[in-house]
Amino acid sequence: MTRCLSNVSVRTEGYDSLTVPVHRATTIRYPNAKEFADRFDRGPDDYVYGLYGTPTHRYLEQKITDLEGGVRTVLAPSGQAAITSIMLHLLRVGERVLLPDTVYGPVRDFADHELVALGISVAYYDPTDLRALQDDLDKGARLIWLESPGSITMEMQDFPAIVALARAAGALVGCDNSWAGPLNFRPLDHGADVVVEALSKNISGHSDVLMGSVTVRDDTLGVSLKAFMGRMGINACADDCVMVMRGIETLAVRLLQASRSAIEIANWLEQRSEVKRVLHPELASDPGHQIWKRDFKGSAGVFGFELTAAASEKLFEALDSLEIISIGASWGGTKSLLAPSSLTGLRTATVWRGSEFVLRLSVGMEATPDLIQDLSRFLDALRSTPEPVHAVSTCVEDAMKD
Ligand SMILES: *Cc1c(COP(=O)(O)O)cnc(C)c1O
């Protein structure tokens, strides 16, 4: 029996793998009791226990750090966990955090319930109104959060202007950069202290991983955040890290394909009579277009559109006519998704004057003409009137004759 459990020794020299090997969270063996006793002196980059990361985690952390232009990255088991971890680490009782009114919905839920319960003051700001933001900053803030373009309604934020106001007010700047990602925008280069990516979206890119990252530009914060994650017992799965690494290798080509396809579809949607407005900062008609053009190198494949009031009446039935595009949340994968997204309860500092539902379309890797055909089917179904009753009976009679 014992023989089944003893480690054998194999040669690893000469095995320089082209891909990242999976080192699962395991126990580290120490050569002697003295080194074991001294293990916590090893520093944040050495290996102590699986919870604090394996070479596979380090590889992905380093890759993301390089892409973001930061000094350290910590991984979390979801984008949401990455955001909540950095906020919990930075904010203390009595302090104030400013969130854009367009913040990712679950972050609003977290802030309103968990941060408020901890005695942290939560305020929402209009992401496009710098004057109002200045007034808000004058009341004091430990952290200002940005997310540009905003979730669902896609408002662009004037990043450099907001960073300048935050600096003057002594607030830290954090940014959810999941839409642009590090290939199209690098918040740390523009003065942010913290950048978060929902790796579950474009970066892993195949709708089969949940993970998030926090990258910082100051290693004092990086080391203390890493210690925080360890104390909280938060880590990512090594098998998933390899999935994210695989996604990163094709990120640039997937983004190019998805964003080109998305803008073609956005332009096509703008011409359709059932569509009231398309929300995509790459469109010249979009209010955030100048900021997008100035700050971003490209786009993601996800954007929104609104239907006219008349077309909205049969929204849910018409969605059933989609054959290629699936109905579902999330975005940034290879398969296209459409989510009718309600803004009820998700805006408090601004008033949403648009439709009840914004249709969020995540464009995948399918051929663009096929996606346009699928969306045509959907838009046509919004207009079609139900068959009169006698026509149905005629159909049945006709069928019975055959
Ligand atoms: C999806 C999303 C997140 C959260 O990512 P999960 O990994 O799904 O928790 C955060 N921010 C934005 C903008 C997102 O779209």
Side-chain angles (χ1 to χ4, degrees):
M1 283 163 89
T2 308
R3 245 198 227 180
C4 294
L5 299 162
S6 62
N7 285 353
V8 295
S9 160
V10 294
R11 205 166 70 86
T12 53
E13 309 90 77
Y15 185 76
D16 189 2
S17 170
L18 181 62
T19 55
V20 188
V22 186
H23 293 278
R24 296 200 177 85
T26 183
T27 288
I28 313 294
R29 290 193 299 164
Y30 295 83
N32 55 56
K34 173 82 173 74
E35 284 204 32
F36 177 70
D38 294 341
R39 67 194 182 282
F40 291 112
D41 301 335
R42 286 182 164 200
D45 296 315
D46 215 323
Y47 300 105
V48 173
Y49 181 59
L51 178 63
Y52 312 122
T54 71
T56 306
H57 295 87
R58 296 286 193 277
Y59 195 100
L60 179 58
E61 288 164 359
Q62 189 57 50
K63 178 61 72 184
I64 295 169
T65 300
D66 291 348
L67 290 173
E68 300 282 5
V71 299
R72 185 179 293 274
T73 296
V74 301
L75 300 172
S78 66
Q80 175 76 357
I83 297 168
T84 61
S85 298
I86 185 65
M87 287 188 181
L88 286 172
H89 182 54
L90 288 175
L91 298 166
R92 292 290 175 267
V93 59
E95 290 183 338
R96 196 156 170 267
V97 58
L98 295 180
L99 302 175
D101 210 30
T102 48
V103 72
Y104 178 62
V107 172
R108 177 184 285 268
D109 187 44
F110 161 76
D112 291 350
H113 289 94
E114 307 305 333
L115 292 182
V116 166
L118 290 169
I120 293 155
S121 160
V122 175
Y124 295 92
Y125 67 94
D126 179 338
T128 62
D129 186 345
L130 294 181
R131 194 176 301 233
L133 177 60
Q134 178 67 67
D135 292 344
D136 250 331
L137 281 164
D138 288 344
K139 294 179 201 148
R142 163 78 169 146
L143 172 68
I144 173 164
W145 196 252
L146 289 94
E147 186 186 322
S148 179
S151 270
I152 303 175
T153 46
M154 307 292 290
E155 292 86 346
M156 287 294 297
Q157 297 194 257
D158 189 338
F159 203 91
I162 293 173
V163 167
L165 294 180
R167 287 268 162 273
L172 289 168
V173 176
C175 175
D176 180 340
N177 194 45
S178 304
W179 190 82
L183 298 186
N184 287 329
F185 184 63
R186 300 212 312 180
L188 300 182
D189 291 349
H190 296 266
D193 298 286
V194 169
V195 55
V196 166
E197 304 287 352
L199 303 173
S200 322
K201 309 291 170 59
N202 282 322
I203 295 181
S204 67
H206 293 73
S207 313
D208 54 4
V209 174
L210 281 175
M211 205 184 291
S213 62
V214 185
T215 307
V216 297
R217 54 197 251 146
D218 165 28
D219 206 33
T220 308
L221 174 58
V223 170
S224 71
L225 177 63
K226 184 170 165 61
F228 172 86
M229 302 300 267
R231 288 179 197 120
M232 297 295 284
I234 299 170
N235 194 5
C237 163
D239 294 271
D240 288 348
C241 289
V242 170
M243 300 292 272
V244 175
M245 271 312 310
R246 171 181 292 209
I248 288 175
E249 292 185 1
T250 57
L251 176 60
V253 284
R254 283 186 292 103
L255 269 182
L256 212 57
Q257 168 64 23
S259 60
R260 279 186 187 154
S261 190
I263 200 68
E264 192 178 331
I265 293 169
N267 277 311
W268 174 82
L269 283 169
E270 273 200 324
Q271 307 306 316
R272 290 284 305 216
S273 61
E274 304 84 353
V275 174
K276 186 168 81 181
R277 190 157 76 109
V278 181
L279 311 165
H280 190 325
E282 194 175 331
L283 291 174
S285 59
D286 192 275
H289 182 66
Q290 290 308 324
I291 294 179
W292 173 85
K293 209 160 114 181
R294 183 192 66 192
D295 294 346
F296 286 15
K297 290 201 190 115
S299 295
V302 64
F303 65 95
F305 62 100
E306 292 177 72
L307 300 174
T308 61
S312 302
E313 277 170 24
K314 276 189 281 165
L315 170 62
F316 281 32
E317 302 138 73
L319 283 169
D320 293 342
S321 63
L322 289 169
E323 290 174 11
I324 298 171
I325 302 168
S326 300
I327 310 290
S330 200
W331 54 273
T334 51
K335 296 170 196 277
S336 293
L337 292 171
L338 200 147
S341 309
S342 165
L343 291 157
T344 306
L346 292 179
R347 299 291 179 266
T348 48
T350 59
V351 179
W352 172 246
R353 295 186 200 284
S355 319
E356 184 187 355
F357 289 99
V358 172
L359 299 177
R360 191 170 61 164
L361 178 65
S362 174
V363 176
M365 299 292 111
E366 302 93 344
T368 313
D370 292 342
L371 293 174
I372 287 181
Q373 196 179 47
D374 209 25
L375 288 164
S376 281
R377 243 189 311 268
F378 160 61
L379 295 177
D380 291 345
L382 291 167
R383 276 189 295 122
S384 68
T385 45
E387 296 276 295
V389 177
H390 70 268
V392 174
S393 59
T394 316
C395 278
V396 173
E397 282 160 21
D398 287 347
M400 284 167 73
K401 275 186 221 148
D402 292 335

